[in-house]
């Protein structure tokens, strides 16, 4: 069942599809760009099956899908958890002599991790680099967060350090994912190292950040541990760490 903005998006895509069909019925022939707009919109609305129908229709009319077309389909299948279909789409991309780019690989890496296949995500990462396609900030963050979700925290930390070496700035979510992942594995010391870095670099989530309460919970745990309580208390006292929640729970 659809609610709120999801319903609006769904209806908006339907309206766009209706207009698209009206254009076709009026004797006009949409080009690749027009098809790309609709395919991307359908994939974002998690309607990859419908998007694939348009994809095949486009090909039947003699139009050549672009890298952007394939990227929308790969991302659409990944978001719906259809990883095998996403990889089949990528294989079709090679057959069509289109080279996957960083967007293609980022979607697939995220999808593989979300499906509990971190080893394959790393293989795709290595494949990407082997083909001379350099990961960007978004790719790094997708892999690090994905590995944390799969419990591969130590491996995620390796890519986090590589990201730092390349002078790429991770968002607060990456720090929070690493901290929580280490805490869940019982490695409080490693989690605290990342927590300190997050605070020192001013990456602690702000109040409106969706990761704020998760970060506060982590800070609470460090405040209760004798090895880290002094640091957390001092940071709050010196107003370097604005967390009233921790104080109120002590």
């Amino acid at each position: 069942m659809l609610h709120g903005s999801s319903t609006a998006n769904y209806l908006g895509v339907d309206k766009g599809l209706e207009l698209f069909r009206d254009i076709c019925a009026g004797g006009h022939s949409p080009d690749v760009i027009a098809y790309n707009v609709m395919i991307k919109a359908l994939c974002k609305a998690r309607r990859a099956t419908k998007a694939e129908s348009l994809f095949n229709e486009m090909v039947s009319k003699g139009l050549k899908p672009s890298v952007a077309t394939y990227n929308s389909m790969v991302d659409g299948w990944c978001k719906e958890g259809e990883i095998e279909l996403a990889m089949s789409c990528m294989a079709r991309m090679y057959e069509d002599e289109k080279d996957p780019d960083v967007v293609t690989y980022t979607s697939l890496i995220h999808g593989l991790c979300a499906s509990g296949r971190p080893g394959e995500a790393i293989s795709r990462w290595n494949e990407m680099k082997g083909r001379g396609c350099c990961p960007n900030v978004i790719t790094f963050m997708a892999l690090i967060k994905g590995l944390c979700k799969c419990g591969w925290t130590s491996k995620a930390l390796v890519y986090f350090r590589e990201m730092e070496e390349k002078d790429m700035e991770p968002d607060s979510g990456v720090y929070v994912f690493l901290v929580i992942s280490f805490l869940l594995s019982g490695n409080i010391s490693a989690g605290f190292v990342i927590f300190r870095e997050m605070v020192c670099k001013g990456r602690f989530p702000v109040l409106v950040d969706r990761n704020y309460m998760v970060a506060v919970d982590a800070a609470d745990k460090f405040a209760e541990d004798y090895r880290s309580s002094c640091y957390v208390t001092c940071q709050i006292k010196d107003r370097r760490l604005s967390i009233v929640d921790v104080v109120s729970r002590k």
Side-chain angles (χ1 to χ4, degrees):
M1 189 172 181
L2 297 171
H3 298 281
S5 60
S6 295
T7 304
N9 291 337
Y10 195 94
L11 294 175
V13 173
D14 276 343
K15 184 63 177 177
L17 194 56
E18 183 183 332
L19 291 172
F20 184 83
R21 290 305 182 200
D22 286 344
I23 291 172
C24 295
H28 299 284
S29 299
D31 58 10
V32 172
I33 295 174
Y35 271 102
N36 280 352
V37 169
M38 282 311 309
I39 289 171
K40 184 174 183 178
L42 286 165
C43 286
K44 279 192 170 184
R46 297 181 183 271
R47 297 169 69 182
T49 301
K50 185 64 179 177
E52 185 180 41
S53 295
L54 274 187
F55 181 99
N56 292 331
E57 176 186 306
M58 176 176 67
V59 173
S60 71
K61 291 183 177 181
L63 296 173
K64 295 285 287 183
S66 66
V67 172
T69 321
Y70 282 107
N71 283 348
S72 291
M73 288 305 311
V74 169
D75 190 56
W77 287 129
C78 284
K79 279 183 167 59
E80 293 187 33
E82 299 287 354
I83 302 302
E84 298 305 326
L85 291 175
M87 290 196 287
S88 293
C89 188
M90 193 169 178
R92 187 173 177 178
M93 198 173 181
Y94 284 121
E95 292 171 5
D96 199 21
E97 298 183 341
K98 296 288 191 302
D99 291 327
D101 60 13
V102 67
V103 177
T104 324
Y105 280 109
T106 300
S107 294
L108 197 54
I109 286 168
H110 180 273
L112 285 165
C113 286
S115 296
R117 296 159 69 170
E120 292 179 63
I122 291 174
S123 294
R124 290 295 179 172
W125 173 277
N126 293 333
E127 174 189 312
M128 172 181 64
K129 295 182 75 174
R131 293 178 63 86
C133 182
C134 297
N136 58 23
V137 175
I138 297 173
T139 319
F140 267 102
M141 293 197 296
L143 181 62
I144 294 167
K145 290 180 181 180
L147 292 176
C148 285
K149 285 182 179 179
C150 293
W152 288 34
T153 320
S154 297
K155 195 68 178 176
L157 184 60
V158 171
Y159 292 103
F160 177 76
R161 295 307 182 200
E162 182 182 337
M163 187 179 184
E164 289 183 320
E165 288 172 6
K166 295 181 180 296
D167 293 323
M168 295 181 178
E169 286 291 336
D171 64 15
S172 61
V174 171
Y175 286 98
V176 172
F177 267 79
L178 281 167
V179 170
I180 295 302
S181 193
F182 274 123
L183 286 176
L184 289 173
S185 68
N187 195 339
I188 296 177
S189 297
F192 182 59
V193 169
I194 303 300
F195 180 83
R196 286 188 63 167
E197 290 181 22
M198 176 172 66
V199 174
C200 290
K201 294 182 179 181
R203 292 294 178 181
F204 194 91
V206 296
L207 184 60
V208 295
D209 193 308
R210 64 181 178 180
N211 292 307
Y212 175 74
M213 287 309 302
V214 181
V216 167
D217 286 339
D220 199 7
K221 288 182 173 60
F222 291 128
E224 293 172 354
D225 190 281
Y226 73 94
R227 293 165 293 183
S228 50
S229 59
C230 182
Y231 173 81
V232 175
T233 302
C234 289
Q235 293 300 306
I236 295 172
K237 183 179 179 181
D238 296 339
R239 297 182 181 276
R240 295 190 187 121
L241 191 57
S242 180
I243 311 177
V244 295
D245 307 66
V246 175
V247 178
S248 64
R249 295 181 197 182
K250 291 183 68 176

